[in-house]
Amino acid sequence: MPERFPLDQLTRRVVHYFQRRSTKYGLRRKTVDAQYILNWGGFVNASFTVTDGERMYHLKLADEEYVLSGLKRWQALHGLLEERYHAPLMLDWIRLRGTGFQGPLFQYVPGRPADLVTRAGLLREVLDLLGRLHSDEELAGALAEDGAPT
C-alpha cells in the first residue's frame, strides 16, 4: 500500500465513509468498523473488511492509475466473471473524497484454506475452472479491447 497516505488515516476514512452511508449498505452506523487485510497478491492496493458486526463487505482501494486500471478492468468485466467463474459479486464503486483512493466493494465471502486431503475432487474442479477461464475467448476479446495484456 502506498506510504504517502498512512494506513490509520485511510482506515478512519473508510469507516467514516461507511458510517455516513450506513443505510445504503445495510450497516448499523454506530458499530461500523474497517480492518486492513494483508494482500498476499501484492501491495499495490489496500484491502479492507468492512463490517458492523453482522454484515460484512470486502473493499479494495487504490490511488495509482496503473493499479486503478486493473480494478476498473474488473469493474467492466465483473458480470461475466461472476456468472462464469464464481467471482464474488461487485456491489459498488467507492471513491474516498479528498484521498484519491477508489475501488470496488464486494460481497464478503468467508473462507478457509482448502482441505485437499478430504476434498480430493476440489483440486480438479479448480483446475477445470482455471482452464475455462484461460480459454475464454469472450473474456480475452474484452481484455484485448481494453488494452490489457492477455
Side-chain angles (χ1 to χ4, degrees), residues 51-94:
T51 185
D52 66 356
E54 290 184 24
R55 185 173 298 228
M56 294 182 82
Y57 297 105
H58 182 79
L59 176 65
K60 287 188 168 292
L61 296 172
D63 69 342
E64 295 182 6
E65 192 51 46
Y66 77 96
V67 180
L68 281 170
S69 66
L71 294 176
K72 289 175 181 174
R73 191 172 308 116
W74 185 290
Q75 181 184 29
L77 299 172
H78 75 91
L80 187 139
L81 295 169
E82 292 160 8
E83 179 183 321
R84 294 183 188 171
Y85 303 107
H86 308 288
L89 296 175
M90 181 185 289
L91 305 170
D92 207 352
W93 187 265
I94 306 299

Side-chain angles (χ1 to χ4, degrees), residues 33-136:
D33 189 32
Q35 295 293 317
Y36 175 75
I37 303 168
L38 181 59
N39 183 1
W40 292 106
F43 299 96
V44 295
N45 62 47
S47 295
F48 294 89
T49 298
V50 177
T51 185
D52 66 356
E54 290 184 24
R55 185 173 298 228
M56 294 182 82
Y57 297 105
H58 182 79
L59 176 65
K60 287 188 168 292
L61 296 172
D63 69 342
E64 295 182 6
E65 192 51 46
Y66 77 96
V67 180
L68 281 170
S69 66
L71 294 176
K72 289 175 181 174
R73 191 172 308 116
W74 185 290
Q75 181 184 29
L77 299 172
H78 75 91
L80 187 139
L81 295 169
E82 292 160 8
E83 179 183 321
R84 294 183 188 171
Y85 303 107
H86 308 288
L89 296 175
M90 181 185 289
L91 305 170
D92 207 352
W93 187 265
I94 306 299
R95 285 182 173 77
L96 294 182
R97 196 173 308 151
T99 69
F101 280 89
Q102 58 181 298
L105 178 70
F106 295 97
Q107 76 178 113
Y108 179 82
V109 179
R112 61 184 188 282
D115 183 355
L116 299 177
V117 173
T118 59
R119 294 210 46 217
L122 182 61
L123 182 57
R124 174 63 15 219
E125 290 176 39
V126 170
L127 292 174
D128 289 345
L129 183 78
L130 286 172
R132 287 195 339 265
L133 176 67
H134 288 280
S135 63
D136 188 321

